[in-house]
Amino acid sequence: MGHILRIGVTGGIGSGKSLVCSTFSRLGVPVLSADKIAKELMSGNATLRKALLTLLGSSTYRSNGELNRQYVASTIFSNPALHGKVNALVHPRVEAEVGKRFVKLEKAGVRLGIVEAALIYEAGFDKHLDYVIVVDAPEADRIRRVVRRDKLTAVDVRKRIRSQQSTQSKLRKADYVVRNNGSIDDLKVSVEFLLSILENIAGTL
């Protein structure tokens, strides 16, 4: 059984990392979403639910038991210390679950898998990956996309961009960079080219 090549895809808010991942997925590469896994665990893991309720209060979950994402986001976004505590609870569990899913893919004979995660470097998750791809886009494009997608003001989006680790520091650490500064077709060509390189590497393992 060959080793699975574990690839991380990250980038700041509005950079287009989800579009890059959906392109990889359409090209046949399994893509894990750290965000979706975090939501699953925050909703379904009893120990984590209890810890989050203690930390954030009863509004953390709706009356039907669903995670109240808007409440959680607004509560931790303005409170870095609280944000750090939530991350300390959630990140290790997400990391462990991603690891399990990569092992499952490896056992199924998959040679190349991707995890999409906003906080790969911040959470130290890069040490568990073979390569990290950083998706980058001009700030004006990022702001426009997020305003349209999340119905936020440009001021709010700028605040969120400033709250994340700077793109420049991510770009310096990246193994590969995808520049999302053209059309969707341009991006697809970049992803296809990068996939051919990664498949060659995976073929040598």
Side-chain angles (χ1 to χ4, degrees), residues 13-44:
I13 186 171
S15 60
K17 63 184 177 298
S18 295
L19 188 55
V20 165
C21 286
S22 64
T23 306
F24 272 118
S25 184
R26 278 197 298 276
L27 293 168
V29 181
V31 177
L32 307 174
S33 163
D35 190 42
K36 280 185 189 155
I37 290 169
K39 275 185 247 168
E40 285 169 26
L41 292 172
M42 288 166 89
S43 295

Side-chain angles (χ1 to χ4, degrees), residues 149-165:
R149 184 188 73 197
D150 296 348
K151 309 289 184 283
L152 295 168
T153 66
V155 172
D156 284 337
V157 179
R158 279 195 193 91
K159 273 188 199 162
R160 292 197 178 191
I161 287 172
R162 300 287 170 264
S163 77
Q164 294 183 332
Q165 189 181 106

Side-chain angles (χ1 to χ4, degrees), residues 9-194:
V9 174
T10 193
I13 186 171
S15 60
K17 63 184 177 298
S18 295
L19 188 55
V20 165
C21 286
S22 64
T23 306
F24 272 118
S25 184
R26 278 197 298 276
L27 293 168
V29 181
V31 177
L32 307 174
S33 163
D35 190 42
K36 280 185 189 155
I37 290 169
K39 275 185 247 168
E40 285 169 26
L41 292 172
M42 288 166 89
S43 295
N45 181 299
T47 311
L48 186 54
R49 282 177 74 98
K50 196 175 172 187
L52 289 169
L53 279 166
T54 303
L55 196 60
L56 303 175
S58 58
S59 299
T60 307
Y61 294 93
R62 301 185 194 280
S63 54
N64 63 358
E66 265 182 29
L67 181 71
N68 186 343
R69 291 194 78 214
Q70 288 79 7
Y71 168 78
V72 173
S74 62
T75 305
I76 65 177
F77 183 64
S78 54
N79 187 329
L82 203 54
H83 199 169
K85 285 178 182 174
V86 170
N87 285 345
L89 286 170
V90 177
H91 285 167
R93 289 175 167 89
V94 172
E95 212 168 277
E97 183 60 30
V98 168
K100 279 183 204 164
R101 294 190 191 190
F102 270 132
V103 168
K104 212 171 177 181
L105 289 170
E106 189 172 69
K107 283 180 177 165
V110 174
R111 306 302 300 279
L112 177 67
I114 282 173
V115 58
E116 176 189 352
L119 302 176
I120 281 176
Y121 291 118
E122 293 88 334
F125 192 37
D126 52 307
K127 62 182 178 286
H128 300 293
L129 301 168
D130 296 302
Y131 297 102
V132 177
I133 299 164
V134 173
V135 184
D136 187 30
E139 188 167 299
D141 290 352
R142 293 171 62 192
I143 291 168
R144 194 172 58 249
R145 281 181 203 132
V146 180
V147 165
R148 197 169 59 226
R149 184 188 73 197
D150 296 348
K151 309 289 184 283
L152 295 168
T153 66
V155 172
D156 284 337
V157 179
R158 279 195 193 91
K159 273 188 199 162
R160 292 197 178 191
I161 287 172
R162 300 287 170 264
S163 77
Q164 294 183 332
Q165 189 181 106
S166 83
T167 301
Q168 290 312 310
S169 69
K170 287 181 179 177
L171 292 172
R172 280 195 295 274
K173 295 173 190 169
D175 298 297
Y176 298 99
V177 175
V178 173
R179 304 274 179 199
N180 183 18
N181 54 4
S183 68
I184 288 176
D185 283 341
D186 292 336
L187 188 67
K188 186 169 182 270
V189 169
S190 299
V191 172
E192 284 172 343
F193 176 68
L194 187 48

